Amino acid sequence: MSKKYLDLLAEKYGSEEEVVTEIINLEAILNLPKGTEHFVSDLHGEYQAFQHVLRNGSGKVKEKIRDIFKDELSEQEISELATLIYYPEEKLKLIKGTFTSDEELNEWYKTIIVRMLELIPYASSKYTRTKLRKALPSQFVFLIEELLYKTDRYTNKTDYYSSIMEQIITLRQSDKLIAGLAYTIQRLVVDHLHVVGDIYDRGPEPDKIMDTLIDYHSLDIQWGNHDVLWIGAYAGSKVCLANILRICARYANLDIIEDAYGINLRPLLSLAEKYYGDNPAFRPKLQGDERLTEQEQLQIAKIHQAIAMIQFKLESPIIKRRDCFNMDGRLLLDKIDYEREEIYLKGKTYPLENPCFQTIDPEDPARLLEEEQQVIDKLLFSIQHSEKLTRHMKFLMKKGNLYLKYNGNLLIHGCIPLDEDGNMETMTIEGQTYGGRDLLDLFEEKLRYSFAHPEETDDLATDMVWYLWTGEYSSLFGKREMTTFERYFISDKATHKEEKNPYYYLRENEEVCRKMLEDFDLDPDQGHIINGHTPVKEIEGENPVKAGGKMVVIDGGFSKAYQSTTGIAGYTLLFNSFGMQLVAHQKFSSREEVLKDGIDVLSVRRLVDKEMERKLVRETNIGTEIQSQIDTLRYLLEERYMK
């Protein structure tokens, strides 16, 4: 350890007593039970449903209330208190309207504040007092601590405590205090959040999810394929940009681009209006009770066609300059007979339905019209200069990784590419062969380079980001090829099939999962692989817990587009000091229904794994960091204060 580092450390801990005190504190923290980890995945822009799951801690808030008040409150009263903690401001308005006098309301205030003050010590029982203080609303820290730690053994402070409560009510601070206590309880119930990929696309409000995550107290993100598509667009990949616009058009979510991120789509609309008409294959997919006028649907259909054709054109030069991607079979524009409107694909000729090839030159199919080039250039400039999108993408990069080893578990959105025998598939890039963890590390290295160099738009790193979206050996895609073109233009559904990587059936095999854990230097006896990406078809009896509990898949259909397939509205996973629980969620209708009826959207809890002994902080990633701090402080103590 360098003398300079010791000098800096000695400035922070200026005496032997300060060093000793910190060592004692850190050693004690190592013996606390580990905090609760909360895993979510595949949010796909469903902000309201995500908010509810976040606020109720996948049922943990109500569980804590029931533990404390089961003998005192009815089930309805427990639900009322839980809803107040989930949505304090809205619930307060509803409740206050039921009282006919200030005296009744003031008595209710006292009762609720006392109950919340009873709940906080229980919810924070695994934390130090310092950590609890950081979770309290800053404007009320002194008052809350006085009430939390009050002791009236000698009756000297009875009037003191009563006065605090009376003045809170008299000075009309009750609502603010209750809201502050509610958010404190939400924060205490979950120590750390894992978002296992796919915040973006399909749903209408990914930007609001990002704003929520930026303000969250402790989290990490494992990028999903849709997240990487947005990162790629911001990093300068025009083909990634075309993809996000196409998907937004497909799901009638262009408001995300225009309203949320301030991107002007007028040039794209002008191009679309000039060259395209109506086309049933490109009409937007509307979800549930979503409604658009005929004019709005027609406009989106035109934009959808325009950006889809730009996308297909932009793919060709990447495929041609990157032999290592092995994607020559996807040079589909070269395989079309434009006069006959047919395509020759894998030894068979197919008629093309609903064609929209007005801007394609059969002699040079991948060439962009000058107008198309101008449109995509303008859109890229706008994307890269959107202040809000810049903030969101930088946060995704700061908190994100392709995979994460955390507290003995492997968190990964998609897959680890395997062959049929369960061996790591390999890919040769620039003369070097990569597979398994090394391949994933290379993908992340290239993605980070591309993000750091947005001015380079045709380099290998930027092309590799697109490959992560669509490539055969991508850990995020996990299929042999993406058949977007076929789904638009070929009626034979056999051509739409996307063959999954063997990983997706081999993950049912415990030995394969144990081997993958070992390959990532994790203990196969203790560890689990936490996966998202592929919706679990619970409606057909599929089990999200696989391979003897070594594999847990938590994509259960947050996205409304998948809920008819899954039969539920998402899974979440809880991992506390006692073990792991999987929570299945019913469809979330609205915040208003929760406020009115107190209905939670939880259904079944399943025990994934139970710890034989409670897991302590010393056994976690944070514990490793704390132990390192202790070792450093002990060295400082020996070198500076005990010699």
Side-chain angles (χ1 to χ4, degrees), residues 40 114-115 124 145 193 201-202 210 227 235 247 271 315 319 334 337 419 426 440 444 474 568 576 579 605 637 643:
V40 300
V114 167
R115 283 176 183 161
S124 64
E145 287 188 331
L193 177 69
D201 289 335
R202 296 200 174 93
M210 288 301 300
D227 305 324
I247 293 168
L271 176 75
E315 290 173 352
I319 293 169
D334 295 347
D337 183 325
D419 65 19
T426 60
L440 269 60
E444 181 163 336
S474 163
I568 59 170
N576 63 17
R605 283 195 177 198
L637 189 64
K643 279 193 173 181

Side-chain angles (χ1 to χ4, degrees), residues 384-419:
Q384 293 182 327
H385 290 81
S386 164
E387 183 276 330
K388 187 174 184 179
L389 186 62
T390 298
R391 185 169 73 252
H392 289 174
M393 293 301 104
K394 285 184 176 179
F395 183 78
L396 263 185
M397 294 301 293
K398 179 182 177 182
K399 292 292 185 178
N401 297 94
L402 270 182
Y403 68 89
L404 180 68
K405 299 191 297 178
Y406 197 92
N407 292 347
N409 299 312
L410 177 63
L411 284 58
I412 182 167
H413 175 73
C415 72
I416 300 158
L418 302 175
D419 65 19

Side-chain angles (χ1 to χ4, degrees), residues 51-253:
Q51 268 282 305
H52 187 67
V53 166
L54 204 60
R55 287 169 182 259
N56 71 16
S58 284
K60 275 293 177 183
V61 168
K62 186 175 279 189
E63 181 183 294
K64 300 285 186 190
I65 295 171
R66 194 174 279 117
D67 287 347
I68 294 292
F69 298 114
K70 61 180 179 294
D71 297 327
E72 182 182 338
L73 301 178
S74 68
E75 195 60 35
Q76 183 178 345
E77 288 172 321
I78 287 171
S79 292
E80 284 284 308
L81 180 54
T83 306
L84 178 64
I85 291 169
Y86 305 159
Y87 302 108
E89 292 89 354
E90 296 95 324
K91 190 65 175 176
L92 278 166
K93 287 179 183 177
L94 291 174
I95 291 172
K96 286 162 67 176
T98 65
F99 291 103
T100 56
S101 70
D102 288 345
E103 290 76 13
E104 287 181 353
L105 177 59
N106 291 344
E107 284 304 311
W108 178 83
Y109 276 141
K110 290 176 186 177
T111 301
I112 287 300
I113 291 170
V114 167
R115 283 176 183 161
M116 295 177 95
L117 289 170
E118 285 183 58
L119 194 54
I120 283 176
Y122 181 54
S124 64
S125 58
K126 293 188 287 190
Y127 305 137
T128 63
R129 191 174 288 190
T130 301
K131 187 165 183 173
L132 170 57
R133 184 178 301 121
K134 290 177 181 176
L136 296 173
S138 58
Q139 71 271 39
F140 295 119
V141 168
F142 168 75
L143 296 178
I144 294 171
E145 287 188 331
E146 286 295 296
L147 294 171
L148 277 175
Y149 309 126
K150 72 178 182 180
T151 174
D152 205 13
R153 185 177 175 187
Y154 303 110
T155 70
N156 292 324
K157 289 176 131 181
T158 302
D159 292 341
Y160 171 74
Y161 295 127
S162 296
S163 178
I164 290 176
M165 191 70 81
E166 290 293 342
Q167 289 304 311
I168 287 169
I169 294 169
T170 301
L171 296 172
R172 299 181 180 179
Q173 297 301 301
S174 305
D175 288 9
K176 292 179 183 177
L177 177 61
I178 288 170
L181 292 172
Y183 291 122
T184 294
I185 293 164
Q186 289 180 29
R187 176 168 173 172
L188 293 172
V189 164
V190 171
D191 189 43
H192 188 81
L193 177 69
H194 303 286
V195 182
V196 192
D198 276 354
I199 296 163
Y200 280 89
D201 289 335
R202 296 200 174 93
E205 298 176 311
D207 58 305
K208 291 184 179 179
I209 294 177
M210 288 301 300
D211 285 338
T212 299
L213 295 178
I214 287 171
D215 291 335
Y216 201 75
H217 59 276
S218 180
L219 83 156
D220 53 65
I221 298 168
Q222 291 71 61
W223 301 313
N225 49 321
H226 289 270
D227 305 324
V228 162
L229 201 58
W230 282 74
I231 292 170
Y234 183 81
S237 170
K238 293 173 184 176
V239 70
C240 287
L241 172 55
N243 267 283
I244 66 172
L245 292 168
R246 180 185 59 78
I247 293 168
C248 283
R250 185 174 180 81
Y251 290 94
N253 284 327

Side-chain angles (χ1 to χ4, degrees), residues 272-311:
E273 294 277 9
K274 180 176 178 180
Y275 287 102
Y276 300 96
D278 194 10
N279 189 326
F282 290 85
R283 284 280 180 134
K285 290 180 175 290
L286 303 180
Q287 304 298 324
D289 58 357
E290 189 177 7
R291 296 289 180 268
L292 292 175
T293 67
E294 178 65 20
Q295 181 60 32
E296 288 170 330
Q297 292 192 57
L298 178 58
Q299 191 176 80
I300 292 172
K302 292 176 180 179
I303 290 174
H304 193 174
Q305 291 170 84
I307 200 62
M309 297 318 300
I310 290 173
Q311 175 194 315

Side-chain angles (χ1 to χ4, degrees), residues 441-589:
D441 288 341
L442 178 73
F443 285 150
E444 181 163 336
E445 176 191 322
K446 295 297 185 185
L447 188 148
R448 291 192 181 280
Y449 181 90
S450 178
F451 189 84
H453 298 84
E455 73 284 354
E456 299 181 28
T457 59
D458 296 328
D459 61 316
L460 175 61
T462 304
D463 290 348
M464 192 74 79
V465 181
W466 174 69
Y467 183 86
L468 275 169
W469 165 249
T470 192
E472 178 180 7
Y473 299 124
S474 163
S475 59
L476 296 180
F477 180 47
K479 297 176 184 177
R480 294 310 182 198
E481 59 182 354
M482 187 178 288
T483 59
T484 304
F485 182 95
E486 290 89 329
R487 291 167 189 266
Y488 282 126
F489 299 116
I490 302 176
S491 61
D492 186 342
K493 291 192 175 181
T495 66
H496 302 179
K497 183 175 174 58
E498 296 177 340
E499 181 188 349
K500 290 182 180 179
N501 185 275
Y503 171 92
Y504 288 103
Y505 62 82
L506 290 172
R507 68 181 179 181
E508 304 275 355
N509 184 308
E510 184 173 347
E511 284 307 307
V512 171
C513 290
R514 292 175 69 88
K515 183 177 183 301
M516 287 190 284
L517 287 166
E518 288 176 345
D519 286 339
F520 282 79
D521 298 324
L522 292 168
D523 182 351
D525 292 328
Q526 299 295 321
H528 310 78
I529 301 171
I530 315 298
N531 238 175
H533 189 50
T534 51
V536 175
K537 298 177 181 178
E538 174 142 323
I539 197 170
E540 297 177 7
E542 183 181 356
N543 192 342
V545 183
K546 304 175 185 296
K550 292 289 114 182
M551 170 73 66
V552 186
V553 185
I554 60 171
D555 180 5
F558 259 103
S559 172
K560 290 178 182 176
Y562 289 138
Q563 288 173 5
S564 61
T565 301
T566 63
I568 59 170
Y571 293 109
T572 53
L573 186 69
L574 296 166
F575 180 27
N576 63 17
S577 58
F578 293 107
M580 275 187 176
Q581 275 190 327
L582 188 73
V583 184
H585 297 264
Q586 299 166 0
K587 293 178 182 179
F588 180 79
S589 55

